[in-house]
Amino acid sequence: MENLFSMAAFPSFLIISAVIAASAQQQRYSRIYLGSSLTPTTNSSWLSPSGLYAFGFYKLTNGYAVGVFIAGIPEKTVVWTANWDSPVFPSNVVLQLRYDGKLSLQQKDRSDIIIASASASASMLDTGNFVLYDSSQRITWQSFDNPTDTLLPGQHLSAGKEIFSSASATNPARGIFRLKMQTDGNLVQYPVNTEDKPNYSYYSSFTDGKGSNVSLNLDNNGLLYLFNGSSIILNLTTGQYRTKTIYLMRIDVDGIFRLYNRLLDHRGNWTKEWSSTEDKCIPKGLCGLNSFCNVTDRVSGCECLPGFDHVNPGDWSSGCERNFAMEGCKAKDQNVSYEIRSLDNTEWEDTNYADVKDMTREDCIKACLEDRNCGAALFLGTLSQYGSCKKQKLPLRYGRILQSDELRNGPRIALVKVSTSTTVSENSVKEIKNEPKRQILIIGISLVALAAVILAISWVYVHRNHARTYTISNNKNVELIEDVGLRAFTYAELVQATNEFKEELGRGASGAVYRGILSNNKIVVAVKRLEKELAGEKEFQTEMKVIGKTYHRNLVRLLGYCFEASKWLLVYEYMSNGSLADILFNPESRPCWEERIRISLDIARGILYLHEECETRIIHCDIKPQNILMDEHRCAKISDFGLAKLLMLDQTYTNTGIRGTRGYVAPEWNMNLPVTVKADVYSFGVVLLEIICCRKSVDRRLSENEAILQEWVYNCYAVGELNKLVGYEEVETQTLDRMIKIGLWCIQDEPSMRPSMKIVLLMLDGTFDIPVPPCPNSFQSSI
Ligand SMILES: *[C@@H]1O[C@H](CO)[C@@H](O)[C@H](O)[C@H]1NC(C)=O
Ligand SMILES: *[C@@H]1O[C@H](CO)[C@@H](O)[C@H](O)[C@H]1NC(C)=O
């Protein structure tokens, strides 16, 4: 498939051309008798009397195929292929017109493959038709009756028959599109493996009801027409007599059928004269499941639904699947929240399980978000703001971007449900934020209308909720910091949970972390004992409220705390795969390239949330691999956020009080300059480079020019030796280039040069063109 579109960019995109071995002998035969044989390397084909057509072997990249090809032109264009379901043979195959009349392909230790039978002789005709005769000279079999992907002048596709595209430019096997001459008189194109039903078709001659015996015909002048046995019912092409010109019609690899002509001389070439459509996105099934076709600069390509990645990049028909980040973390997070991303002006197969009329786009978004089964909804708007909302289960297929003239009846929008944390687009964020407002508005209106009833119901609702809260706190002896779901533990409880702080999980600047098990629900937790002098109890409570309100898939969740006398402890969810440092710097657990990219995205999303999405902006101040923990699905989560204020006391930004860790801290820390969110961007940049290269930012064991990662990366980037950075690991060069550029932008000395986390995410997503980064310290003088 990979050549499909590039090929289509050329004026004459003829697919399979036969290569005849130079040593092969070719003779012209008017008649081929029983006992004659061909092999790929010696006597490889039988020519027609004029020498224009040949029947025999033609070479493919991985073997040989048998068929009819135009031998009289340099391209040796193939027009028919034998044994289409498995057309490729090794060089030791022999083609023989056996004495029993069968035309067969013979291979050592394999049973013969019979191409055609019951014959007394054969002939390669000058029309391109290869025929077999019985002893009374009657035709018993002909290639014209069994077309593969091509029709030649004089050949027809009779009622009930179909032709198929080839699999690829280099593989003549049956492909994924078909053209059928139906017995209802209609000529229709479908993807393979579908029923002959209108909702699968992507081309129709609209001639149904014109007779049961209509055939598709091509004449010597390039006239392509439908004939009902007595008269022409439709001309597809105009046809024009030209001297020394041959024509052929073929359903190409891309699913479109076209008429080509070619002057019969050695300098000529195939020229497209007519095609069933000019829109390369029309053929259904060109893009696999959950992807849609888009044409840019006359070249078509397949894009995934938001939140999906290509299964096999380069093979579009393989489609897209949910990207791992979502799947991996979904099971863990019970409360994944969803949002809707919209794909405007797209068309999909409609297999809805619910179709609600007279909805606005917003109603449709809401309806899908509220319905667990809804994977996507197709909103088919009218010119007013209302339309129908067709709820779908995934996968979606046959997607394509519509042309502007196809939108006459109103917008065609696909609304795709994705988990919140996998997306960053401005639009979607807005949409989400709009939702609660809408609900409030609806409730407000209802209240006016049905005040008494609603009040009564609300009272019951509120009352019941109160009762439930009361029950919980009573049973479990839980105290809650006002409206934050944090639990206050007693010191004794945590001593018991950690078995007297027996199992230390790690130790950082702020204190040691211990494994614990909560006695009431057997949840495994990580208990952090803060060992430094801390701010007062009031500040502690304030910070706990801030942290308690954060909730994001890529942040380690704080479950509770304890402050008793001089004891300060924090209780976090337990991360079973340790820290990023553990897996990244250990050659045995080193994540693969794709996983490293996913981890980078996870971290970036977590930081973005801290910076821009949670109620109180949080600057982490200590982003480093040791503070990034991995859950059981190896989903990266940031820990230790929100502690900066607590631990720094009043020593604002001085050298003595810096919390950041050497190697990761932004230069402004050391210069008594105000610290902003851009300090985290710097640290993220360093971590990103570490993730790319799987090494620490400072490694004195390495040679001098490699010891400081930031410098080494820039130097390699400057001389274009990116492969060195990944130790010549096989990674996608484009992605590597993108990741390195992002890293270099993040570690700019000048804070204002660094992108915001939002931009970083867009860059990581590949939706943002990244300019060439300057040398990280070239703007140093300005700070
Ligand atoms: C189709 O074209 C042929 C040749 O140009 C012409 O004779 C015939 O009338 C046309 N038929 C229709 C239905 O257009
Ligand atoms: C094909 O032939 C046409 C007409 O002779 C000519 O204009 C065109 O440049 C040729 N294309 C190629 C690729 O040779």
Side-chain angles (χ1 to χ4, degrees), residues 31-47:
R31 195 53 70 104
I32 301 142
Y33 294 101
L34 301 185
S36 307
S37 66
L38 298 172
T39 67
T41 46
T42 53
N43 190 21
S44 68
S45 62
W46 294 312
L47 286 175

mmCIF file with all atom_site columns, all heavy atoms in Angstrom, residues 31-47:
data_model
loop_
_atom_site.group_PDB
_atom_site.id
_atom_site.type_symbol
_atom_site.label_atom_id
_atom_site.label_alt_id
_atom_site.label_comp_id
_atom_site.label_asym_id
_atom_site.label_entity_id
_atom_site.label_seq_id
_atom_site.pdbx_PDB_ins_code
_atom_site.Cartn_x
_atom_site.Cartn_y
_atom_site.Cartn_z
_atom_site.occupancy
_atom_site.B_iso_or_equiv
_atom_site.pdbx_formal_charge
_atom_site.auth_seq_id
_atom_site.auth_comp_id
_atom_site.auth_asym_id
_atom_site.auth_atom_id
_atom_site.pdbx_PDB_model_num
ATOM 1   N N   . ARG A 1 31 ? -0.646 -20.593 -32.976 1.00 0.00 ? 31 ARG A N   1
ATOM 2   C CA  . ARG A 1 31 ? -1.316 -21.690 -32.305 1.00 0.00 ? 31 ARG A CA  1
ATOM 3   C C   . ARG A 1 31 ? -0.335 -22.389 -31.361 1.00 0.00 ? 31 ARG A C   1
ATOM 4   O O   . ARG A 1 31 ? 0.818  -22.618 -31.710 1.00 0.00 ? 31 ARG A O   1
ATOM 5   C CB  . ARG A 1 31 ? -1.831 -22.677 -33.356 1.00 0.00 ? 31 ARG A CB  1
ATOM 6   C CG  . ARG A 1 31 ? -2.865 -23.692 -32.868 1.00 0.00 ? 31 ARG A CG  1
ATOM 7   C CD  . ARG A 1 31 ? -4.051 -23.049 -32.176 1.00 0.00 ? 31 ARG A CD  1
ATOM 8   N NE  . ARG A 1 31 ? -4.941 -22.302 -33.034 1.00 0.00 ? 31 ARG A NE  1
ATOM 9   C CZ  . ARG A 1 31 ? -6.131 -22.721 -33.449 1.00 0.00 ? 31 ARG A CZ  1
ATOM 10  N NH1 . ARG A 1 31 ? -6.576 -23.898 -33.091 1.00 0.00 ? 31 ARG A NH1 1
ATOM 11  N NH2 . ARG A 1 31 ? -6.891 -21.965 -34.200 1.00 0.00 ? 31 ARG A NH2 1
ATOM 12  N N   . ILE A 1 32 ? -0.778 -22.687 -30.169 1.00 0.00 ? 32 ILE A N   1
ATOM 13  C CA  . ILE A 1 32 ? 0.074  -23.382 -29.203 1.00 0.00 ? 32 ILE A CA  1
ATOM 14  C C   . ILE A 1 32 ? -0.532 -24.767 -28.993 1.00 0.00 ? 32 ILE A C   1
ATOM 15  O O   . ILE A 1 32 ? -1.727 -24.881 -28.710 1.00 0.00 ? 32 ILE A O   1
ATOM 16  C CB  . ILE A 1 32 ? 0.122  -22.605 -27.868 1.00 0.00 ? 32 ILE A CB  1
ATOM 17  C CG1 . ILE A 1 32 ? 0.674  -21.187 -28.111 1.00 0.00 ? 32 ILE A CG1 1
ATOM 18  C CG2 . ILE A 1 32 ? 0.966  -23.331 -26.831 1.00 0.00 ? 32 ILE A CG2 1
ATOM 19  C CD1 . ILE A 1 32 ? 0.002  -20.136 -27.297 1.00 0.00 ? 32 ILE A CD1 1
ATOM 20  N N   . TYR A 1 33 ? 0.291  -25.797 -29.132 1.00 0.00 ? 33 TYR A N   1
ATOM 21  C CA  . TYR A 1 33 ? -0.243 -27.165 -29.090 1.00 0.00 ? 33 TYR A CA  1
ATOM 22  C C   . TYR A 1 33 ? 0.028  -27.849 -27.759 1.00 0.00 ? 33 TYR A C   1
ATOM 23  O O   . TYR A 1 33 ? 0.887  -27.406 -27.000 1.00 0.00 ? 33 TYR A O   1
ATOM 24  C CB  . TYR A 1 33 ? 0.322  -27.970 -30.262 1.00 0.00 ? 33 TYR A CB  1
ATOM 25  C CG  . TYR A 1 33 ? -0.174 -27.418 -31.578 1.00 0.00 ? 33 TYR A CG  1
ATOM 26  C CD1 . TYR A 1 33 ? 0.636  -26.592 -32.363 1.00 0.00 ? 33 TYR A CD1 1
ATOM 27  C CD2 . TYR A 1 33 ? -1.483 -27.688 -31.999 1.00 0.00 ? 33 TYR A CD2 1
ATOM 28  C CE1 . TYR A 1 33 ? 0.160  -26.061 -33.543 1.00 0.00 ? 33 TYR A CE1 1
ATOM 29  C CE2 . TYR A 1 33 ? -1.962 -27.152 -33.179 1.00 0.00 ? 33 TYR A CE2 1
ATOM 30  C CZ  . TYR A 1 33 ? -1.144 -26.339 -33.945 1.00 0.00 ? 33 TYR A CZ  1
ATOM 31  O OH  . TYR A 1 33 ? -1.621 -25.800 -35.105 1.00 0.00 ? 33 TYR A OH  1
ATOM 32  N N   . LEU A 1 34 ? -0.705 -28.923 -27.525 1.00 0.00 ? 34 LEU A N   1
ATOM 33  C CA  . LEU A 1 34 ? -0.544 -29.686 -26.295 1.00 0.00 ? 34 LEU A CA  1
ATOM 34  C C   . LEU A 1 34 ? 0.909  -30.112 -26.128 1.00 0.00 ? 34 LEU A C   1
ATOM 35  O O   . LEU A 1 34 ? 1.577  -30.433 -27.105 1.00 0.00 ? 34 LEU A O   1
ATOM 36  C CB  . LEU A 1 34 ? -1.455 -30.922 -26.301 1.00 0.00 ? 34 LEU A CB  1
ATOM 37  C CG  . LEU A 1 34 ? -2.958 -30.670 -26.432 1.00 0.00 ? 34 LEU A CG  1
ATOM 38  C CD1 . LEU A 1 34 ? -3.735 -31.983 -26.286 1.00 0.00 ? 34 LEU A CD1 1
ATOM 39  C CD2 . LEU A 1 34 ? -3.443 -29.670 -25.386 1.00 0.00 ? 34 LEU A CD2 1
ATOM 40  N N   . GLY A 1 35 ? 1.379  -30.085 -24.910 1.00 0.00 ? 35 GLY A N   1
ATOM 41  C CA  . GLY A 1 35 ? 2.753  -30.459 -24.637 1.00 0.00 ? 35 GLY A CA  1
ATOM 42  C C   . GLY A 1 35 ? 3.689  -29.262 -24.574 1.00 0.00 ? 35 GLY A C   1
ATOM 43  O O   . GLY A 1 35 ? 4.812  -29.366 -24.091 1.00 0.00 ? 35 GLY A O   1
ATOM 44  N N   . SER A 1 36 ? 3.243  -28.073 -25.032 1.00 0.00 ? 36 SER A N   1
ATOM 45  C CA  . SER A 1 36 ? 4.109  -26.883 -24.969 1.00 0.00 ? 36 SER A CA  1
ATOM 46  C C   . SER A 1 36 ? 4.237  -26.422 -23.517 1.00 0.00 ? 36 SER A C   1
ATOM 47  O O   . SER A 1 36 ? 3.311  -26.578 -22.722 1.00 0.00 ? 36 SER A O   1
ATOM 48  C CB  . SER A 1 36 ? 3.511  -25.740 -25.781 1.00 0.00 ? 36 SER A CB  1
ATOM 49  O OG  . SER A 1 36 ? 3.214  -26.165 -27.084 1.00 0.00 ? 36 SER A OG  1
ATOM 50  N N   . SER A 1 37 ? 5.394  -25.848 -23.216 1.00 0.00 ? 37 SER A N   1
ATOM 51  C CA  . SER A 1 37 ? 5.563  -25.370 -21.839 1.00 0.00 ? 37 SER A CA  1
ATOM 52  C C   . SER A 1 37 ? 6.421  -24.116 -21.785 1.00 0.00 ? 37 SER A C   1
ATOM 53  O O   . SER A 1 37 ? 7.147  -23.778 -22.723 1.00 0.00 ? 37 SER A O   1
ATOM 54  C CB  . SER A 1 37 ? 6.175  -26.469 -20.975 1.00 0.00 ? 37 SER A CB  1
ATOM 55  O OG  . SER A 1 37 ? 7.482  -26.720 -21.417 1.00 0.00 ? 37 SER A OG  1
ATOM 56  N N   . LEU A 1 38 ? 6.316  -23.407 -20.653 1.00 0.00 ? 38 LEU A N   1
ATOM 57  C CA  . LEU A 1 38 ? 7.084  -22.186 -20.408 1.00 0.00 ? 38 LEU A CA  1
ATOM 58  C C   . LEU A 1 38 ? 7.709  -22.271 -19.019 1.00 0.00 ? 38 LEU A C   1
ATOM 59  O O   . LEU A 1 38 ? 7.161  -22.923 -18.133 1.00 0.00 ? 38 LEU A O   1
ATOM 60  C CB  . LEU A 1 38 ? 6.181  -20.946 -20.425 1.00 0.00 ? 38 LEU A CB  1
ATOM 61  C CG  . LEU A 1 38 ? 5.424  -20.599 -21.713 1.00 0.00 ? 38 LEU A CG  1
ATOM 62  C CD1 . LEU A 1 38 ? 4.444  -19.464 -21.431 1.00 0.00 ? 38 LEU A CD1 1
ATOM 63  C CD2 . LEU A 1 38 ? 6.387  -20.197 -22.825 1.00 0.00 ? 38 LEU A CD2 1
ATOM 64  N N   . THR A 1 39 ? 8.860  -21.616 -18.839 1.00 0.00 ? 39 THR A N   1
ATOM 65  C CA  . THR A 1 39 ? 9.409  -21.458 -17.487 1.00 0.00 ? 39 THR A CA  1
ATOM 66  C C   . THR A 1 39 ? 9.808  -19.988 -17.318 1.00 0.00 ? 39 THR A C   1
ATOM 67  O O   . THR A 1 39 ? 10.021 -19.295 -18.316 1.00 0.00 ? 39 THR A O   1
ATOM 68  C CB  . THR A 1 39 ? 10.658 -22.340 -17.270 1.00 0.00 ? 39 THR A CB  1
ATOM 69  O OG1 . THR A 1 39 ? 11.685 -21.845 -18.116 1.00 0.00 ? 39 THR A OG1 1
ATOM 70  C CG2 . THR A 1 39 ? 10.392 -23.803 -17.570 1.00 0.00 ? 39 THR A CG2 1
ATOM 71  N N   . PRO A 1 40 ? 9.920  -19.508 -16.112 1.00 0.00 ? 40 PRO A N   1
ATOM 72  C CA  . PRO A 1 40 ? 10.208 -18.081 -15.912 1.00 0.00 ? 40 PRO A CA  1
ATOM 73  C C   . PRO A 1 40 ? 11.521 -17.631 -16.540 1.00 0.00 ? 40 PRO A C   1
ATOM 74  O O   . PRO A 1 40 ? 11.630 -16.483 -16.979 1.00 0.00 ? 40 PRO A O   1
ATOM 75  C CB  . PRO A 1 40 ? 10.272 -17.944 -14.389 1.00 0.00 ? 40 PRO A CB  1
ATOM 76  C CG  . PRO A 1 40 ? 9.467  -19.068 -13.866 1.00 0.00 ? 40 PRO A CG  1
ATOM 77  C CD  . PRO A 1 40 ? 9.661  -20.187 -14.835 1.00 0.00 ? 40 PRO A CD  1
ATOM 78  N N   . THR A 1 41 ? 12.527 -18.510 -16.570 1.00 0.00 ? 41 THR A N   1
ATOM 79  C CA  . THR A 1 41 ? 13.848 -18.025 -16.955 1.00 0.00 ? 41 THR A CA  1
ATOM 80  C C   . THR A 1 41 ? 14.296 -18.397 -18.368 1.00 0.00 ? 41 THR A C   1
ATOM 81  O O   . THR A 1 41 ? 15.199 -17.771 -18.910 1.00 0.00 ? 41 THR A O   1
ATOM 82  C CB  . THR A 1 41 ? 14.907 -18.556 -15.973 1.00 0.00 ? 41 THR A CB  1
ATOM 83  O OG1 . THR A 1 41 ? 14.665 -19.943 -15.778 1.00 0.00 ? 41 THR A OG1 1
ATOM 84  C CG2 . THR A 1 41 ? 14.821 -17.828 -14.645 1.00 0.00 ? 41 THR A CG2 1
ATOM 85  N N   . THR A 1 42 ? 13.695 -19.413 -18.975 1.00 0.00 ? 42 THR A N   1
ATOM 86  C CA  . THR A 1 42 ? 14.144 -19.736 -20.333 1.00 0.00 ? 42 THR A CA  1
ATOM 87  C C   . THR A 1 42 ? 13.126 -19.281 -21.368 1.00 0.00 ? 42 THR A C   1
ATOM 88  O O   . THR A 1 42 ? 13.132 -18.133 -21.789 1.00 0.00 ? 42 THR A O   1
ATOM 89  C CB  . THR A 1 42 ? 14.437 -21.237 -20.462 1.00 0.00 ? 42 THR A CB  1
ATOM 90  O OG1 . THR A 1 42 ? 13.290 -21.953 -20.021 1.00 0.00 ? 42 THR A OG1 1
ATOM 91  C CG2 . THR A 1 42 ? 15.636 -21.618 -19.632 1.00 0.00 ? 42 THR A CG2 1
ATOM 92  N N   . ASN A 1 43 ? 12.227 -20.166 -21.740 1.00 0.00 ? 43 ASN A N   1
ATOM 93  C CA  . ASN A 1 43 ? 11.186 -19.793 -22.694 1.00 0.00 ? 43 ASN A CA  1
ATOM 94  C C   . ASN A 1 43 ? 10.021 -19.261 -21.888 1.00 0.00 ? 43 ASN A C   1
ATOM 95  O O   . ASN A 1 43 ? 9.185  -19.989 -21.411 1.00 0.00 ? 43 ASN A O   1
ATOM 96  C CB  . ASN A 1 43 ? 10.803 -21.059 -23.485 1.00 0.00 ? 43 ASN A CB  1
ATOM 97  C CG  . ASN A 1 43 ? 9.911  -20.732 -24.644 1.00 0.00 ? 43 ASN A CG  1
ATOM 98  O OD1 . ASN A 1 43 ? 9.875  -19.594 -25.104 1.00 0.00 ? 43 ASN A OD1 1
ATOM 99  N ND2 . ASN A 1 43 ? 9.191  -21.724 -25.120 1.00 0.00 ? 43 ASN A ND2 1
ATOM 100 N N   . SER A 1 44 ? 9.970  -17.914 -21.695 1.00 0.00 ? 44 SER A N   1
ATOM 101 C CA  . SER A 1 44 ? 9.075  -17.404 -20.654 1.00 0.00 ? 44 SER A CA  1
ATOM 102 C C   . SER A 1 44 ? 7.688  -17.008 -21.117 1.00 0.00 ? 44 SER A C   1
ATOM 103 O O   . SER A 1 44 ? 6.787  -16.869 -20.295 1.00 0.00 ? 44 SER A O   1
ATOM 104 C CB  . SER A 1 44 ? 9.736  -16.229 -19.940 1.00 0.00 ? 44 SER A CB  1
ATOM 105 O OG  . SER A 1 44 ? 9.829  -15.144 -20.824 1.00 0.00 ? 44 SER A OG  1
ATOM 106 N N   . SER A 1 45 ? 7.488  -16.786 -22.442 1.00 0.00 ? 45 SER A N   1
ATOM 107 C CA  . SER A 1 45 ? 6.129  -16.382 -22.843 1.00 0.00 ? 45 SER A CA  1
ATOM 108 C C   . SER A 1 45 ? 5.819  -16.721 -24.293 1.00 0.00 ? 45 SER A C   1
ATOM 109 O O   . SER A 1 45 ? 6.719  -16.980 -25.098 1.00 0.00 ? 45 SER A O   1
ATOM 110 C CB  . SER A 1 45 ? 5.940  -14.883 -22.605 1.00 0.00 ? 45 SER A CB  1
ATOM 111 O OG  . SER A 1 45 ? 6.847  -14.149 -23.402 1.00 0.00 ? 45 SER A OG  1
ATOM 112 N N   . TRP A 1 46 ? 4.535  -16.716 -24.616 1.00 0.00 ? 46 TRP A N   1
ATOM 113 C CA  . TRP A 1 46 ? 4.066  -16.911 -25.988 1.00 0.00 ? 46 TRP A CA  1
ATOM 114 C C   . TRP A 1 46 ? 3.537  -15.569 -26.488 1.00 0.00 ? 46 TRP A C   1
ATOM 115 O O   . TRP A 1 46 ? 2.602  -15.007 -25.904 1.00 0.00 ? 46 TRP A O   1
ATOM 116 C CB  . TRP A 1 46 ? 2.926  -17.945 -26.019 1.00 0.00 ? 46 TRP A CB  1
ATOM 117 C CG  . TRP A 1 46 ? 3.367  -19.331 -25.640 1.00 0.00 ? 46 TRP A CG  1
ATOM 118 C CD1 . TRP A 1 46 ? 4.457  -20.005 -26.119 1.00 0.00 ? 46 TRP A CD1 1
ATOM 119 C CD2 . TRP A 1 46 ? 2.720  -20.222 -24.735 1.00 0.00 ? 46 TRP A CD2 1
ATOM 120 N NE1 . TRP A 1 46 ? 4.549  -21.251 -25.568 1.00 0.00 ? 46 TRP A NE1 1
ATOM 121 C CE2 . TRP A 1 46 ? 3.477  -21.423 -24.712 1.00 0.00 ? 46 TRP A CE2 1
ATOM 122 C CE3 . TRP A 1 46 ? 1.575  -20.148 -23.937 1.00 0.00 ? 46 TRP A CE3 1
ATOM 123 C CZ2 . TRP A 1 46 ? 3.133  -22.522 -23.928 1.00 0.00 ? 46 TRP A CZ2 1
ATOM 124 C CZ3 . TRP A 1 46 ? 1.227  -21.239 -23.161 1.00 0.00 ? 46 TRP A CZ3 1
ATOM 125 C CH2 . TRP A 1 46 ? 1.999  -22.413 -23.145 1.00 0.00 ? 46 TRP A CH2 1
ATOM 126 N N   . LEU A 1 47 ? 4.113  -15.087 -27.569 1.00 0.00 ? 47 LEU A N   1
ATOM 127 C CA  . LEU A 1 47 ? 3.678  -13.791 -28.098 1.00 0.00 ? 47 LEU A CA  1
ATOM 128 C C   . LEU A 1 47 ? 2.489  -13.965 -29.044 1.00 0.00 ? 47 LEU A C   1
ATOM 129 O O   . LEU A 1 47 ? 2.329  -14.996 -29.691 1.00 0.00 ? 47 LEU A O   1
ATOM 130 C CB  . LEU A 1 47 ? 4.815  -13.140 -28.892 1.00 0.00 ? 47 LEU A CB  1
ATOM 131 C CG  . LEU A 1 47 ? 5.977  -12.544 -28.104 1.00 0.00 ? 47 LEU A CG  1
ATOM 132 C CD1 . LEU A 1 47 ? 7.059  -12.068 -29.070 1.00 0.00 ? 47 LEU A CD1 1
ATOM 133 C CD2 . LEU A 1 47 ? 5.506  -11.388 -27.240 1.00 0.00 ? 47 LEU A CD2 1
#
